[in-house]
Amino acid sequence: MAAAQAAAVAKDGGPPSLNWWQRLRWRPTSRPEALYYERKLLDLLGGTYEAYDVKVGPGKEEYMHTVAGGQASGADRPAFVAIPGYSTGSSFLFKLFDGLSAAMRLYAIDLLGTGLSGRPPFRVRSREEAEQFFVKSLEAWRQAQGLDQMVLMGHSMGGYLSACYALQHPERVQHLILMCPAGIGKKPDDWQPPAVVRNPWTVRGQMFRLASRLWNWDVTPGSIVRCFGPWGPGLTSKYCRSRFTRQQQLNEDEVAALEQYHYHSLAPRGSGEFALRHLLAPFAWPHAPLEERMAELDVPITFIYGEADWMDQRAAERVVAAMAKHRDAKFPADLKVMITADAGHYPAIDQPGTVLRQLATACGSYLPPAAREAMLAAAKQLPAHGAALGDSADALAREMRDNPLQAAAHEASEL
């Protein structure tokens, strides 16, 4: 049924029709509407993209939504699998699609329980079980797609889970690309929250403790959007417009489609989003930092960070240094940390042209020259934007000091 809906929406030029009782819903969302707004985003691009669902288990909700484009993968045309962050769907990476699909076979996927994928009950009780929920389903997706190896790129929490997959299935990962990944660095032994929030008898101190409790009570961006019912679309609209138009990263058509797509990605029944507290402690410190687990990973790896990203690029530098003690670089972009100038935590939206050039460099050792040139040509079509400085670690520290609740929501929404 889900696959049929995806195909139907792809062919239909108008929004899904709703019965009168559907218009009275508390949460104004449905799968046909989600697929429609995804298609609206994809239709803004120059390439041709197919949206479909892949079964990854026997349950009705055990399927992973996939957007694919580009020629079939082969010896000189790798499969490039892109995984978005925690509270976003795969089409948040849409500005990269034309360049990636011109050079490789692109698969942009929503992990199980997130985005437009199925929402099975999430019954895990530990960090290990949470990681396995995603790794096991990603491996089932790979098998169903018939891919022997893939270039695996994950953004933010998608980067953390991509690394978890590579740790368990290194033979299936041709190249691991981590863009602004969560969960890399461990919390410093001497870390403390700002002094102004440490006193429990102050308003800010109480807000800090409430924020920590809400995090551990599974209060997520999705649950907040669902709780607001008919006002939920207004929340995602405010977020998308404030974050992705301040440097004119998106035009009106793009942000209008993205804000609706974002709402319909968050509003369905909660599932994979409830992994957050199992994987990360309040304020995004990992329970099991990847820098303590990746030193001996024998997979080519490249990191990409926004210049003003709140994720700590120094942790990636420590990982690269630790890995270099165990092996040599397999090609020039292996064991490298790249920085995207004038970008924050979403470099694929802030500076997509620059990111495509970085990806052409990162993948250049195994791409045919024509494929690399096609990616670079697509990059030239994307304008540069002004600096995006609101995502920096310093900005987030100020936010934690001034409004801990808002800082926790900011962090959770940008994982």
Side-chain angles (χ1 to χ4, degrees):
M1 174 64 72
Q5 286 178 334
V9 173
K11 295 176 183 178
D12 184 6
S17 60
L18 301 175
N19 297 315
W20 66 269
W21 62 85
Q22 292 176 304
R23 298 177 185 274
L24 301 178
R25 304 164 294 177
W26 174 248
R27 283 185 286 133
T29 188
S30 66
R31 183 161 179 80
E33 288 169 283
L35 294 169
Y36 170 73
Y37 285 108
E38 177 186 64
R39 178 51 53 182
K40 290 277 285 185
L41 268 180
L42 297 176
D43 285 347
L44 295 171
L45 302 173
T48 300
Y49 301 95
E50 176 187 10
Y52 57 91
D53 300 313
V54 177
K55 287 291 290 181
V56 294
K60 180 181 177 181
E61 291 292 319
E62 292 183 84
Y63 61 87
M64 287 173 60
H65 189 67
T66 304
V67 173
Q71 297 177 13
S73 57
D76 62 347
R77 196 174 184 89
F80 189 102
V81 178
I83 298 178
Y86 167 74
S87 62
T88 61
S90 60
S91 288
F92 251 68
L93 301 168
F94 78 108
K95 299 289 276 187
L96 304 179
F97 285 4
D98 282 348
L100 291 171
S101 63
M104 294 174 273
R105 175 62 173 173
L106 169 66
Y107 300 90
I109 62 176
D110 293 333
L111 291 172
L112 185 62
T114 71
L116 274 59
S117 289
R119 303 295 183 102
F122 192 77
R123 299 191 178 101
V124 310
R125 297 186 177 183
S126 68
R127 187 265 305 171
E128 293 83 358
E129 290 180 2
E131 291 179 359
Q132 196 61 23
F133 176 89
F134 298 106
V135 170
K136 182 179 178 181
S137 54
L138 178 55
E139 173 61 7
W141 177 90
R142 182 200 64 79
Q143 293 178 16
Q145 292 295 99
L147 302 178
D148 181 56
Q149 278 197 316
M150 52 190 171
V151 179
L152 184 59
M153 183 186 80
H155 173 252
S156 199
M157 183 68 86
Y160 176 94
L161 295 169
S162 295
C164 290
Y165 177 87
L167 286 167
Q168 292 192 35
H169 301 281
E171 74 284 358
R172 300 302 181 185
V173 182
Q174 178 180 351
H175 185 186
L176 180 63
I177 302 174
L178 302 182
M179 182 183 295
C180 313
I184 301 294
K186 63 181 180 180
K187 182 168 72 172
D189 294 336
D190 60 351
W191 183 87
Q192 288 186 327
V196 72
V197 303
R198 284 182 228 154
N199 185 346
W201 303 108
T202 64
V203 172
R204 289 177 182 173
Q206 287 296 313
M207 290 171 65
F208 178 81
R209 282 151 184 78
L210 177 59
S212 298
R213 291 190 178 96
L214 291 174
W215 186 291
N216 288 320
W217 290 342
D218 281 335
V219 177
T220 66
S223 62
I224 293 172
V225 165
R226 291 189 291 272
C227 180
F228 270 75
W231 296 279
L235 293 180
T236 58
S237 176
K238 181 179 179 181
Y239 171 75
C240 288
R241 289 181 179 274
S242 64
R243 175 60 182 83
F244 300 122
T245 63
R246 62 192 183 201
Q247 280 84 37
Q248 292 79 50
Q249 300 101 313
L250 300 180
N251 62 37
E252 178 57 33
D253 289 341
E254 291 169 337
V255 75
L258 185 70
E259 66 187 17
Q260 289 290 338
Y261 169 75
H262 191 31
Y263 170 73
H264 292 291
S265 297
L266 286 172
R269 178 181 63 191
S271 176
E273 68 195 65
F274 298 133
L276 181 62
R277 69 181 175 92
H278 297 287
L279 302 177
L280 304 177
F283 300 98
W285 294 110
H287 293 302
L290 287 171
E291 71 170 308
E292 297 180 346
R293 297 192 272 165
M294 294 181 67
E296 298 184 21
L297 178 63
D298 192 22
V299 171
I301 187 168
T302 305
F303 290 89
I304 299 175
Y305 286 87
E307 179 185 22
D309 191 359
W310 63 282
M311 296 297 176
D312 186 4
Q313 70 190 57
R314 294 171 297 181
E317 293 166 355
R318 294 195 297 270
V319 169
V320 165
M323 296 177 81
K325 294 179 181 179
H326 294 273
R327 64 173 180 84
D328 295 329
K330 298 177 185 292
F331 47 78
D334 183 19
L335 302 179
K336 296 294 184 183
V337 179
M338 299 180 173
I339 304 301
T340 308
D342 293 336
H345 188 58
Y346 290 100
I349 293 180
D350 291 336
Q351 304 293 347
T354 301
V355 172
L356 280 177
R357 285 188 286 273
Q358 291 174 320
L359 290 172
T361 298
C363 304
S365 296
Y366 49 83
L367 284 180
R372 185 174 181 275
E373 289 304 316
M375 194 185 300
L376 292 174
K380 291 180 180 179
Q381 304 302 313
L382 297 168
H385 306 290
L389 301 178
D391 298 341
S392 68
D394 289 343
L396 200 61
R398 288 193 298 272
E399 192 173 44
M400 184 185 293
R401 181 193 64 212
D402 297 337
N403 190 333
L405 275 173
Q406 183 173 310
H410 185 175
E411 290 189 357
S413 67
E414 296 207 347
L415 285 168

